[in-house]
Amino acid sequence: MDFDANNTTPRQEAITFSATGSEYFRIWIVNLLLSIVTLGIYSAWAKVRRNRYFYSSTHLAGSSFEYHGNAVAILKGRIAAVVLIAGYNIAFQVSPVVGLIMLVLMAAILPWLVWKSLQFKLYNTSYRGIRFGFGGSAKEAYKYFLWLPILNTFTGGLMTPFLHQRLKRFQHTQSRFGATHFSFDATVGSFYKTYLLFFALLLGGLLVLIFVVFGSVFASFAANANDSTKVGSLLFAIGALYLWAFTVLPLFLTMIQNLIWNHTRLQQHQFQSQLTWGRTTFVMLSNLLGIVVTLGLFTPFAHVRWLKYRLEATSMLVHGSLDEFVAATGQQVSATGEGMVDLLDFDLSL
């Protein structure tokens, strides 16, 4: 429900996600089996089927999103991506020099592919009949996806928060809904604060565990305990370290999503994200446990649970009406980048 354009009182419109694990399981299992039987060819149609289900299940202000991706276009992109990756692997078998040349060529083309992937994803997404889009330029894509990451390696990763902020600023400000661009005003300093808090908690907890837990392990070894006791205490110590890492990681994901979306606007409409550390940790750890216990069969349920939580923690503070946007005319874009990004398993959502 939208407000009348003359009404200046903002209203919070929550995003709702109606997909269920049982429904998606049926889609997922069929997609998986057909992709295996067709040696991966059906995976393009599987992606379209999955995205159409998830997009149509995502609602904002009484309307759902739509996905318009073409499976044949995606398949062509994946074939091109497979050829590139196969050429890269074969080149190293021919000689290290040829392999190095191919590696340089891959690094040179990857930013362009990521840029085309962003264009393809947004162009094939619509809301209330209006398509999204992505602008920017190839020059900017090379700056943010090649030159800055290379520079970051020479700083030992110290530029990572800066790079993350610049990537999200590029991604959000170049995205548009119809003819209206999104805006992004999170500062580099806010990204550094988030990263520093994460690493401070991670390292602080690890140091405490090392002194306390591993102290008991060393004590058991010093006391000449039996082998089973030593192994048990060692496994417990290692498990405690992993558990702490898996507990702090959700905090980082929570802070980053909240930071990014709380500083994103579409014209006068403000996004809000309210993920919480406790809930994020519970969803991630229970999903991991479910996948392990069911030998992977819980994967579609885990996917729906995680997506539902993230989406429904996000809302929009609407000022006026969402029907005021004007559709922009855009050309169909290549799916080659989409295929490559899929194969390399990139995730540009954070």
Side-chain angles (χ1 to χ4, degrees):
M1 181 185 299
D2 288 339
F3 266 84
D4 190 337
N6 295 322
N7 191 341
T8 59
T9 304
R11 171 165 183 163
Q12 189 172 36
E13 294 284 0
I15 294 177
T16 59
F17 189 63
S18 59
T20 65
S22 57
E23 287 181 343
Y24 181 51
F25 179 84
R26 291 192 288 270
I27 296 173
W28 176 80
I29 196 68
V30 172
N31 284 347
L32 178 63
L33 293 176
L34 288 178
S35 296
I36 293 174
V37 170
T38 61
L39 302 178
I41 294 176
Y42 185 77
S43 64
W45 281 264
K47 174 172 183 166
V48 170
R49 190 180 177 201
R50 179 186 70 241
N51 283 354
R52 284 179 178 171
Y53 174 64
F54 283 148
Y55 281 48
S56 64
S57 299
T58 306
H59 308 268
L60 173 65
S63 300
S64 64
F65 293 80
E66 293 183 75
Y67 181 73
H68 308 277
N70 182 278
V72 175
I74 295 174
L75 179 62
K76 291 178 180 178
R78 291 189 172 181
I79 291 173
V82 168
V83 170
L84 285 173
I85 295 174
Y88 167 76
N89 291 326
I90 293 173
F92 270 102
Q93 295 179 6
V94 173
S95 77
V97 175
V98 176
L100 183 60
I101 294 174
M102 190 63 185
L103 177 62
V104 172
L105 290 176
M106 288 280 287
I109 198 174
L110 189 58
W112 181 85
L113 291 170
V114 174
W115 174 52
K116 300 304 289 185
S117 172
L118 289 169
Q119 290 183 328
F120 183 83
K121 285 180 178 179
L122 287 178
Y123 176 80
N124 286 291
T125 302
S126 70
Y127 174 74
R128 294 188 174 183
I130 298 177
R131 295 217 183 194
F132 290 80
F134 187 82
S137 64
K139 180 180 179 181
E140 289 176 301
Y142 276 91
K143 174 182 177 181
Y144 296 117
F145 295 111
L146 181 62
W147 305 124
L148 284 180
I150 290 176
L151 181 61
N152 188 34
T153 61
F154 290 100
T155 67
L158 293 178
M159 280 181 56
T160 300
F162 170 82
L163 175 59
H164 196 170
Q165 189 270 350
R166 287 294 190 262
L167 286 174
K168 300 314 296 184
R169 189 181 68 174
F170 171 65
Q171 185 181 349
H172 284 223
T173 57
Q174 294 301 329
S175 299
R176 66 177 186 270
F177 176 55
T180 305
H181 279 258
F182 291 79
S183 61
F184 183 73
D185 61 5
T187 64
V188 173
S190 63
F191 273 77
Y192 269 99
K193 289 178 182 177
T194 301
Y195 273 82
L196 287 173
L197 178 59
F198 165 67
F199 281 110
L201 287 173
L202 178 63
L203 295 177
L206 291 179
L207 288 174
V208 171
L209 287 173
I210 289 174
F211 280 111
V212 176
V213 179
F214 277 89
S216 63
V217 173
F218 295 143
S220 66
F221 275 83
N224 292 322
N226 57 57
D227 291 340
S228 60
T229 301
K230 293 178 181 178
V231 172
S233 60
L234 183 59
L235 291 176
F236 174 77
I238 295 174
L241 291 176
Y242 275 102
L243 181 61
W244 177 246
F246 277 111
T247 301
V248 179
L249 178 60
L251 172 63
F252 177 72
L253 296 178
T254 297
M255 293 189 298
I256 282 294
Q257 171 158 328
N258 290 345
L259 172 63
I260 290 171
W261 285 105
N262 288 336
H263 289 85
T264 299
R265 300 175 68 93
L266 178 62
Q267 212 170 59
Q268 73 271 27
H269 310 299
Q270 173 71 54
F271 288 93
Q272 294 181 329
S273 178
Q274 298 176 323
L275 289 181
T276 62
W277 183 12
R279 182 63 180 170
T280 302
T281 303
F282 172 75
V283 172
M284 292 185 67
L285 290 180
S286 58
N287 278 349
L288 178 62
L289 180 62
I291 291 171
V292 171
V293 170
T294 63
L295 301 180
L297 291 178
F298 189 72
T299 299
F301 295 89
H303 194 164
V304 168
R305 291 179 75 225
W306 177 234
L307 194 54
K308 181 179 179 67
Y309 175 57
R310 289 179 63 187
L311 286 172
E312 295 191 346
T314 307
S315 61
M316 175 182 277
L317 195 61
V318 178
H319 296 260
S321 173
L322 291 176
D323 295 322
E324 298 173 348
F325 297 97
V326 179
T329 302
Q331 296 180 341
Q332 179 65 277
V333 294
S334 168
T336 304
E338 180 81 351
M340 175 64 85
V341 171
D342 277 349
L343 291 178
L344 296 179
D345 197 25
F346 283 179
D347 184 1
L348 299 173
S349 62
L350 290 177

